[in-house]
């Protein structure tokens, strides 16, 4: 039945509007723009058609299959549509899922709102139809060309990242940040759950955990009334793929706003980072770190161990990055004598090599070729599982030249190094963007801050360790 | 004498190179590109001139005034140049400051390096000449068209922000981030202090504290052997202008790398955020927050109180932003009944107004004009000292339309509201950049994340409160 949420055979929209400024108009635009391959019909009191989509005065009269009904109606229209849902299901048997976008239900904190939500949910239950929302943005499935939202509007080629969210606009924000990356990342599936009158985060988590096209799951939470089923589902999903979680509503004002947002009240059981980790989830704290961590899991190979080497041509940047990584529990490698000797020969006399362990400050006086060779030497070291490279451009080591040298040297290296992840951090705002694009076009991922790498790497190392423990347990 | 560091009458460079890949060449390029108005000469064993600048085999033979000597020589050349410094000063009396760029001194952790540094410092002391560095990037003064670095290379129109830094490349990073802002911010002065064999952060802080063109001071620290004089100087500076501080070397590995970077050993007295606050400084934790906080002080008016209103058209973004602000101690306003009534009339029925206090979620269903009017209503409220506006674009509320409406409404408002600061946060990566530029061209400052605003606003509120206490004390 949840399958119908992502690949419905036939859709009807109630509450569509002719006015471009109305959400009920944009829903149609998005459905059409996504290129949904099935048939779409409208339920509208008097229109013949809107944007070329045929309209019918009553849901029962829609002649085509309606597996998904999208409601863009105000909450006050609930009783009428609730009856229509039951009638349609009885008459045609096709309806499987209702997606209710409008607000004004339980989150309004009014008796009327609560009553309307219960009325809608009861009708769906009676009809044996699942309900997403109300007060949600709906669902997007890029592979199945489905977009029931009024907010997102455009989609890139889908990655392996799928999102579950208690906030629709948070999904919009994350989507846009993913598309603004130097190598734009298009999301695979995402579901905004809204007030969760029926379909829950836990059920959807179970679905995404089993979904083969979802390789990484992102979860945005605000307040969860009963977190246990979600945590159990997330634990099941985490056996198969990384589940990265961002939780808001951590402060009293944030928690209050979360209640007014989706009507959800936080349980006494706190959903904090420690609890998340106990269930195998990977918590992050900020939206930029959420995006970087999801994209990293999607694009970089998992390290085989936790020994990280850091190379910098910026002394200050290096100190700052070490702090950032160490504060997140990232541990440094011990360089082999061979690597140390190679670097000693390669780098200027004032370069700091292996002090502290695993840290190399080439000094700012190096050129692009030396920089690339130093990266290669670190990747080749059998005692190094991942390499972080801090880079600040200088007049004699421009970001583009360095990027070209890196691309020239690394294809061979990466094969020999069991595809260790490399995290190039190019410092310097827009000036380094062309070089970042060059590297990304060459198949490498790049970063703009040590914090992004710190969050992504900490999550990745934690996940890699968990996978190893799982593998060891299997080998016993 | 410190004046000569920023506005030297005549410069000589020892160690200039013809080779474009050498720092000793880039120093000349930067000096010329900055448009330094005085005379420049080179000290070079055999060249007649480089890049059109005349060269002389010995410092004593330079016929023009040399108030500043820039050393781009390896540490091994120290004894010869140390003697030359003493001779020049005796013969001509013009030398006032030496800027020593090269590494290989005390930070190399070798006996030889320490000896060379002491030799250079002793010669300068004997000659009555001040020494910046060694192992530093030198100094930039955009107003006086001076750039002794080999790293920065280009400068925008100067703002009121000046920087002091224990790291040269950190300055380069911050400079580039400032220039990558939608409204690029050019730094006023900055000094990279390197190993601080003579000129100290404390002295330079005192100078910048009194410097009329410096309205905001940024301080980047790694390890300070004796923080007391710096803290006292920073406290004096903080009476006149905000001093924002970013400290690295917070973890054992970071601290060790800091030692290998500038040779400085952290004192037993920790320089942490609490200590910084005791001395009136404004600590931040990240480079992006450092940049945002400095730029905010430079561009926005100080709030007259600490009552902040938050408007959002993104429920999730609003919850997330409240957490971010509350975690930094930002407190919310209580909206007046008049403002509440205005918003109630203006916004859709599901808008959340004043729950929690000071928080307004307009819902995603609003248009650009309503959004701008809601911002105006909050700014007009006498109980509101600052407004944070979270905005996520929707198909019927595009960022550009919203920006235009904001610009239309706000000129009048800002006059009437005693120039309260407004913090528009436009969420959505590159998609919102044109709108941000529009607002910035209209004189408004914009932000890309709640965290930037949280850091800047927390620092600003703290500073505003301190100023008020100062004012109250004066009125007694």
């Amino acid at each position: 039945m949840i399958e119908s949420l992502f690949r419905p055979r036939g859709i009807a929209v109630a509450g569509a509007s002719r006015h471009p400024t109305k959400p009920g108009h944009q829903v149609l635009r998005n459905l059409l723009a996504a290129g949904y391959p099935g048939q779409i019909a409208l339920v509208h009191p008097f229109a013949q058609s809107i944007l070329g989509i045929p309209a019918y005065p009553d849901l029962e009269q829609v002649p085509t299959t309606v597996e998904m009904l999208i409601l863009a109606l105000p909450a006050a229209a609930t009783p009428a549509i609730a009856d229509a849902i039951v009638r349609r299901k009885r008459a045609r048997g096709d309806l499987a899922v209702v997606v209710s976008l409008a607000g004004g239900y339980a989150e309004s904190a009014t008796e009327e709102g609560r009553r309307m939500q219960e009325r809608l949910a009861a009708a769906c239950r009676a009809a044996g139809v699942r309900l997403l929302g109300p007060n949600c943005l709906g669902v997007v499935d890029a592979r199945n060309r489905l977009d029931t939202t009024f907010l997102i509007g455009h989609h890139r080629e889908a990655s392996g990242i799928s999102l579950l969210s208690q906030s629709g606009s948070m999904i919009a924000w994350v989507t846009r940040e993913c598309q603004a990356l130097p190598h734009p990342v298009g999301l695979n599936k995402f579901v905004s759950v809204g007030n969760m009158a029926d379909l829950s985060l836990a059920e959807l988590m179970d679905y995404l955990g089993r979904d083969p096209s979802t390789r990484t799951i992102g979860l945005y939470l605000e307040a969860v009334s009963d977190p246990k089923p979600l945590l159990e589902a997330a634990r099941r999903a985490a056996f198969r793929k990384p589940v990265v979680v961002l939780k808001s509503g951590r402060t009293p004002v944030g928690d209050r706003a979360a209640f007014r947002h989706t009507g959800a009240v936080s349980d006494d059981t706190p959903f904090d980072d420690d609890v998340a980790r106990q269930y195998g989830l990977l918590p992050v704290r900020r939206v930029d770190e959420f995006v970087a961590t999801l994209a990293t899991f999607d694009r970089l190979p998992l390290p085989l161990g936790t020994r990280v080497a850091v190379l910098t041509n910026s002394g200050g940047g290096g100190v700052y990055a070490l702090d950032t990584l160490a504060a997140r529990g990232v541990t440094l490698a011990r360089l082999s004598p061979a690597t140390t000797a190679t670097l000693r020969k390669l780098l200027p006399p004032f370069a700091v090599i292996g002090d502290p362990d695993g840290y190399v400050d080439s000094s700012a006086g190096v050129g692009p070729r030396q920089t690339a060779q130093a990266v290669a030497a670190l990747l080749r070291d059998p005692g190094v599982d991942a390499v972080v490279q801090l880079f600040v451009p200088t007049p004699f080591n421009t970001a583009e030249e360095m990027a070209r040298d890196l691309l020239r040297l690394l294809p061979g290296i990466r094969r020999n190094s069991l595809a260790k992840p490399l995290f190039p951090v190019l410092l310097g705002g827009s000036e380094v963007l062309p070089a970042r694009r060059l590297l990304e076009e060459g198949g490498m991922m790049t970063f703009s801050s040590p914090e992004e790498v710190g969050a992504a790497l900490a999550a990745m190392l934690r996940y890699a360790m968990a996978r190893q423990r799982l593998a060891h347990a299997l080998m016993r």
Side-chain angles (χ1 to χ4, degrees), chain A residues 6-44:
Chain A
F6 298 100
R7 193 157 40 182
R9 282 169 305 146
I11 295 177
V13 180
S17 165
R18 291 184 188 287
H19 299 288
T21 60
K22 298 279 184 192
H25 183 82
Q26 279 299 332
V27 168
L28 296 192
R29 288 214 170 276
N30 283 13
L31 267 178
L32 295 172
Y36 172 67
Q39 279 179 301
I40 310 176
L42 307 182
V43 181
H44 197 280

Short mmCIF file of all heavy atoms in Angstrom, two decimals, chain A residues 6-44:
data_model
loop_
_atom_site.label_atom_id
_atom_site.label_comp_id
_atom_site.label_asym_id
_atom_site.label_seq_id
_atom_site.Cartn_x
_atom_site.Cartn_y
_atom_site.Cartn_z
N PHE A 6 4.39 6.17 -3.72
CA PHE A 6 5.52 6.54 -4.58
C PHE A 6 5.25 6.26 -6.06
O PHE A 6 5.81 6.89 -6.92
CB PHE A 6 6.78 5.78 -4.14
CG PHE A 6 7.21 6.12 -2.74
CD1 PHE A 6 6.91 5.29 -1.67
CD2 PHE A 6 7.88 7.31 -2.50
CE1 PHE A 6 7.30 5.62 -0.38
CE2 PHE A 6 8.27 7.64 -1.21
CZ PHE A 6 7.97 6.79 -0.14
N ARG A 7 4.38 5.27 -6.33
CA ARG A 7 4.09 4.95 -7.72
C ARG A 7 2.61 4.68 -7.90
O ARG A 7 2.20 3.55 -8.17
CB ARG A 7 4.93 3.75 -8.18
CG ARG A 7 4.91 3.60 -9.68
CD ARG A 7 6.09 2.82 -10.20
NE ARG A 7 6.41 1.69 -9.34
CZ ARG A 7 7.44 0.88 -9.56
NH1 ARG A 7 8.22 1.08 -10.60
NH2 ARG A 7 7.68 -0.13 -8.75
N PRO A 8 1.78 5.73 -7.72
CA PRO A 8 0.33 5.52 -7.82
C PRO A 8 -0.08 5.29 -9.29
O PRO A 8 0.44 5.95 -10.19
CB PRO A 8 -0.25 6.83 -7.30
CG PRO A 8 0.81 7.85 -7.60
CD PRO A 8 2.13 7.13 -7.46
N ARG A 9 -1.02 4.35 -9.49
CA ARG A 9 -1.62 4.23 -10.83
C ARG A 9 -2.82 5.16 -10.86
O ARG A 9 -3.87 4.82 -10.37
CB ARG A 9 -2.05 2.78 -11.07
CG ARG A 9 -0.88 1.87 -11.45
CD ARG A 9 -1.32 0.43 -11.42
NE ARG A 9 -1.89 0.12 -10.11
CZ ARG A 9 -2.89 -0.73 -9.89
NH1 ARG A 9 -3.46 -1.34 -10.89
NH2 ARG A 9 -3.33 -0.96 -8.67
N GLY A 10 -2.62 6.37 -11.34
CA GLY A 10 -3.70 7.33 -11.44
C GLY A 10 -3.81 8.24 -10.23
O GLY A 10 -3.73 7.77 -9.09
N ILE A 11 -3.99 9.53 -10.50
CA ILE A 11 -4.06 10.53 -9.44
C ILE A 11 -5.28 11.42 -9.67
O ILE A 11 -5.60 11.76 -10.81
CB ILE A 11 -2.79 11.41 -9.45
CG1 ILE A 11 -1.54 10.58 -9.12
CG2 ILE A 11 -2.92 12.60 -8.49
CD1 ILE A 11 -0.24 11.36 -9.19
N ALA A 12 -5.94 11.79 -8.60
CA ALA A 12 -6.94 12.87 -8.67
C ALA A 12 -6.55 13.96 -7.68
O ALA A 12 -5.98 13.66 -6.62
CB ALA A 12 -8.33 12.34 -8.33
N VAL A 13 -6.82 15.21 -8.07
CA VAL A 13 -6.51 16.35 -7.20
C VAL A 13 -7.81 17.07 -6.88
O VAL A 13 -8.54 17.46 -7.79
CB VAL A 13 -5.54 17.33 -7.89
CG1 VAL A 13 -5.22 18.50 -6.97
CG2 VAL A 13 -4.27 16.63 -8.33
N ALA A 14 -8.10 17.22 -5.59
CA ALA A 14 -9.26 18.01 -5.17
C ALA A 14 -8.75 19.32 -4.57
O ALA A 14 -7.86 19.30 -3.72
CB ALA A 14 -10.08 17.25 -4.14
N GLY A 15 -9.29 20.43 -5.07
CA GLY A 15 -8.85 21.73 -4.56
C GLY A 15 -7.87 22.41 -5.49
O GLY A 15 -7.22 23.38 -5.11
N ALA A 16 -7.77 21.92 -6.73
CA ALA A 16 -6.89 22.59 -7.70
C ALA A 16 -7.46 23.96 -8.03
O ALA A 16 -8.67 24.17 -7.98
CB ALA A 16 -6.77 21.75 -8.96
N SER A 17 -6.58 24.88 -8.35
CA SER A 17 -7.02 26.25 -8.60
C SER A 17 -6.45 26.76 -9.92
O SER A 17 -5.39 26.32 -10.37
CB SER A 17 -6.54 27.15 -7.45
OG SER A 17 -6.65 28.50 -7.83
N ARG A 18 -7.19 27.71 -10.53
CA ARG A 18 -6.71 28.34 -11.76
C ARG A 18 -5.69 29.43 -11.45
O ARG A 18 -5.00 29.90 -12.34
CB ARG A 18 -7.88 29.04 -12.47
CG ARG A 18 -8.90 28.17 -13.05
CD ARG A 18 -9.93 29.04 -13.81
NE ARG A 18 -11.05 28.23 -14.24
CZ ARG A 18 -11.00 27.36 -15.24
NH1 ARG A 18 -9.88 27.23 -15.92
NH2 ARG A 18 -12.05 26.64 -15.56
N HIS A 19 -5.62 29.90 -10.22
CA HIS A 19 -4.83 31.09 -9.89
C HIS A 19 -3.39 30.72 -9.58
O HIS A 19 -3.12 29.97 -8.64
CB HIS A 19 -5.46 31.82 -8.69
CG HIS A 19 -6.84 32.27 -8.98
ND1 HIS A 19 -7.09 33.33 -9.83
CD2 HIS A 19 -8.04 31.80 -8.57
CE1 HIS A 19 -8.40 33.49 -9.93
NE2 HIS A 19 -9.00 32.58 -9.18
N PRO A 20 -2.46 31.28 -10.35
CA PRO A 20 -1.04 30.90 -10.20
C PRO A 20 -0.48 31.17 -8.81
O PRO A 20 0.53 30.58 -8.44
CB PRO A 20 -0.33 31.78 -11.23
CG PRO A 20 -1.38 32.23 -12.18
CD PRO A 20 -2.66 32.25 -11.43
N THR A 21 -1.11 32.06 -8.03
CA THR A 21 -0.56 32.36 -6.71
C THR A 21 -1.07 31.38 -5.64
O THR A 21 -0.72 31.50 -4.48
CB THR A 21 -0.95 33.78 -6.27
OG1 THR A 21 -2.37 33.85 -6.23
CG2 THR A 21 -0.40 34.82 -7.22
N LYS A 22 -1.93 30.42 -6.04
CA LYS A 22 -2.47 29.49 -5.04
C LYS A 22 -1.68 28.18 -5.02
O LYS A 22 -1.33 27.65 -6.07
CB LYS A 22 -3.93 29.16 -5.39
CG LYS A 22 -4.86 30.36 -5.39
CD LYS A 22 -5.30 30.70 -3.99
CE LYS A 22 -6.31 31.85 -4.07
NZ LYS A 22 -6.58 32.44 -2.76
N PRO A 23 -1.43 27.66 -3.82
CA PRO A 23 -0.80 26.34 -3.73
C PRO A 23 -1.54 25.31 -4.58
O PRO A 23 -0.91 24.47 -5.23
CB PRO A 23 -0.88 26.01 -2.25
CG PRO A 23 -0.90 27.34 -1.56
CD PRO A 23 -1.65 28.26 -2.49
N GLY A 24 -2.87 25.39 -4.61
CA GLY A 24 -3.68 24.43 -5.37
C GLY A 24 -3.49 24.53 -6.87
O GLY A 24 -3.96 23.69 -7.64
N HIS A 25 -2.81 25.56 -7.33
CA HIS A 25 -2.43 25.66 -8.73
C HIS A 25 -1.04 25.06 -8.93
O HIS A 25 -0.80 24.32 -9.89
CB HIS A 25 -2.44 27.13 -9.15
CG HIS A 25 -2.13 27.34 -10.60
ND1 HIS A 25 -3.07 27.21 -11.60
CD2 HIS A 25 -0.96 27.66 -11.22
CE1 HIS A 25 -2.50 27.43 -12.78
NE2 HIS A 25 -1.22 27.71 -12.57
N GLN A 26 -0.15 25.39 -8.00
CA GLN A 26 1.23 24.93 -8.13
C GLN A 26 1.34 23.41 -8.03
O GLN A 26 2.23 22.82 -8.63
CB GLN A 26 2.11 25.58 -7.05
CG GLN A 26 2.55 26.99 -7.41
CD GLN A 26 3.40 27.02 -8.69
OE1 GLN A 26 4.07 26.08 -9.03
NE2 GLN A 26 3.32 28.15 -9.39
N VAL A 27 0.42 22.80 -7.28
CA VAL A 27 0.44 21.34 -7.19
C VAL A 27 0.30 20.75 -8.58
O VAL A 27 1.03 19.82 -8.97
CB VAL A 27 -0.69 20.85 -6.26
CG1 VAL A 27 -0.87 19.35 -6.39
CG2 VAL A 27 -0.38 21.22 -4.82
N LEU A 28 -0.63 21.31 -9.37
CA LEU A 28 -0.80 20.82 -10.74
C LEU A 28 0.44 21.05 -11.58
O LEU A 28 0.91 20.17 -12.30
CB LEU A 28 -1.99 21.53 -11.41
CG LEU A 28 -3.37 21.29 -10.82
CD1 LEU A 28 -4.42 21.82 -11.78
CD2 LEU A 28 -3.57 19.81 -10.56
N ARG A 29 0.98 22.26 -11.45
CA ARG A 29 2.18 22.59 -12.23
C ARG A 29 3.31 21.60 -11.91
O ARG A 29 4.01 21.15 -12.79
CB ARG A 29 2.67 24.00 -11.90
CG ARG A 29 1.81 25.10 -12.46
CD ARG A 29 2.69 26.32 -12.86
NE ARG A 29 1.89 27.28 -13.61
CZ ARG A 29 1.67 27.20 -14.92
NH1 ARG A 29 2.19 26.23 -15.63
NH2 ARG A 29 0.91 28.10 -15.52
N ASN A 30 3.48 21.31 -10.62
CA ASN A 30 4.56 20.41 -10.24
C ASN A 30 4.31 18.99 -10.74
O ASN A 30 5.22 18.31 -11.22
CB ASN A 30 4.74 20.40 -8.71
CG ASN A 30 5.48 21.64 -8.23
OD1 ASN A 30 5.65 22.60 -8.97
ND2 ASN A 30 5.94 21.61 -6.99
N LEU A 31 3.05 18.55 -10.63
CA LEU A 31 2.70 17.21 -11.13
C LEU A 31 3.05 17.11 -12.61
O LEU A 31 3.65 16.12 -13.06
CB LEU A 31 1.20 16.96 -10.95
CG LEU A 31 0.71 16.27 -9.69
CD1 LEU A 31 -0.80 16.17 -9.70
CD2 LEU A 31 1.32 14.87 -9.54
N LEU A 32 2.67 18.15 -13.37
CA LEU A 32 2.93 18.14 -14.80
C LEU A 32 4.42 18.26 -15.10
O LEU A 32 4.95 17.55 -15.95
CB LEU A 32 2.15 19.28 -15.49
CG LEU A 32 0.63 19.16 -15.43
CD1 LEU A 32 -0.04 20.43 -15.95
CD2 LEU A 32 0.16 17.94 -16.24
N ALA A 33 5.09 19.17 -14.37
CA ALA A 33 6.52 19.40 -14.63
C ALA A 33 7.34 18.15 -14.34
O ALA A 33 8.34 17.88 -15.01
CB ALA A 33 7.03 20.56 -13.79
N ALA A 34 6.92 17.38 -13.33
CA ALA A 34 7.66 16.16 -12.99
C ALA A 34 7.52 15.11 -14.08
O ALA A 34 8.33 14.19 -14.17
CB ALA A 34 7.19 15.61 -11.65
N GLY A 35 6.48 15.24 -14.90
CA GLY A 35 6.30 14.29 -15.99
C GLY A 35 5.66 12.98 -15.54
O GLY A 35 5.94 11.92 -16.10
N TYR A 36 4.77 13.09 -14.55
CA TYR A 36 4.07 11.90 -14.06
C TYR A 36 3.46 11.12 -15.24
O TYR A 36 2.70 11.69 -16.03
CB TYR A 36 2.97 12.32 -13.06
CG TYR A 36 2.08 11.19 -12.65
CD1 TYR A 36 2.58 10.15 -11.87
CD2 TYR A 36 0.74 11.16 -13.03
CE1 TYR A 36 1.76 9.09 -11.50
CE2 TYR A 36 -0.09 10.12 -12.66
CZ TYR A 36 0.43 9.09 -11.89
OH TYR A 36 -0.38 8.05 -11.52
N PRO A 37 3.77 9.84 -15.35
CA PRO A 37 3.37 9.11 -16.55
C PRO A 37 1.92 8.60 -16.54
O PRO A 37 1.40 8.24 -17.58
CB PRO A 37 4.34 7.93 -16.58
CG PRO A 37 4.73 7.71 -15.14
CD PRO A 37 4.61 9.03 -14.45
N GLY A 38 1.26 8.59 -15.37
CA GLY A 38 -0.11 8.07 -15.31
C GLY A 38 -1.15 9.15 -15.62
O GLY A 38 -0.82 10.26 -16.02
N GLN A 39 -2.42 8.81 -15.42
CA GLN A 39 -3.48 9.77 -15.71
C GLN A 39 -3.81 10.63 -14.48
O GLN A 39 -3.81 10.14 -13.36
CB GLN A 39 -4.73 9.04 -16.19
CG GLN A 39 -4.60 8.69 -17.67
CD GLN A 39 -5.79 7.94 -18.19
OE1 GLN A 39 -6.12 6.86 -17.66
NE2 GLN A 39 -6.45 8.50 -19.19
N ILE A 40 -4.07 11.91 -14.75
CA ILE A 40 -4.42 12.85 -13.69
C ILE A 40 -5.82 13.38 -13.97
O ILE A 40 -6.15 13.69 -15.12
CB ILE A 40 -3.43 14.04 -13.64
CG1 ILE A 40 -1.98 13.54 -13.63
CG2 ILE A 40 -3.70 14.90 -12.41
CD1 ILE A 40 -0.95 14.66 -13.69
N ALA A 41 -6.63 13.49 -12.92
CA ALA A 41 -7.95 14.09 -13.04
C ALA A 41 -8.15 15.07 -11.90
O ALA A 41 -7.46 14.98 -10.88
CB ALA A 41 -9.02 13.00 -13.00
N LEU A 42 -9.07 16.03 -12.10
CA LEU A 42 -9.35 16.99 -11.04
C LEU A 42 -10.76 16.79 -10.52
O LEU A 42 -11.65 16.37 -11.25
CB LEU A 42 -9.22 18.41 -11.57
CG LEU A 42 -7.90 18.74 -12.26
CD1 LEU A 42 -7.90 20.21 -12.69
CD2 LEU A 42 -6.73 18.44 -11.35
N VAL A 43 -10.94 17.10 -9.23
CA VAL A 43 -12.28 17.19 -8.67
C VAL A 43 -12.53 18.66 -8.43
O VAL A 43 -11.81 19.30 -7.64
CB VAL A 43 -12.39 16.40 -7.35
CG1 VAL A 43 -13.79 16.48 -6.79
CG2 VAL A 43 -11.96 14.95 -7.57
N HIS A 44 -13.51 19.23 -9.15
CA HIS A 44 -13.71 20.68 -9.08
C HIS A 44 -15.19 20.96 -9.28
O HIS A 44 -15.82 20.37 -10.15
CB HIS A 44 -12.89 21.38 -10.18
CG HIS A 44 -12.73 22.85 -9.93
ND1 HIS A 44 -13.71 23.76 -10.23
CD2 HIS A 44 -11.69 23.55 -9.41
CE1 HIS A 44 -13.29 24.97 -9.90
NE2 HIS A 44 -12.06 24.87 -9.40
#
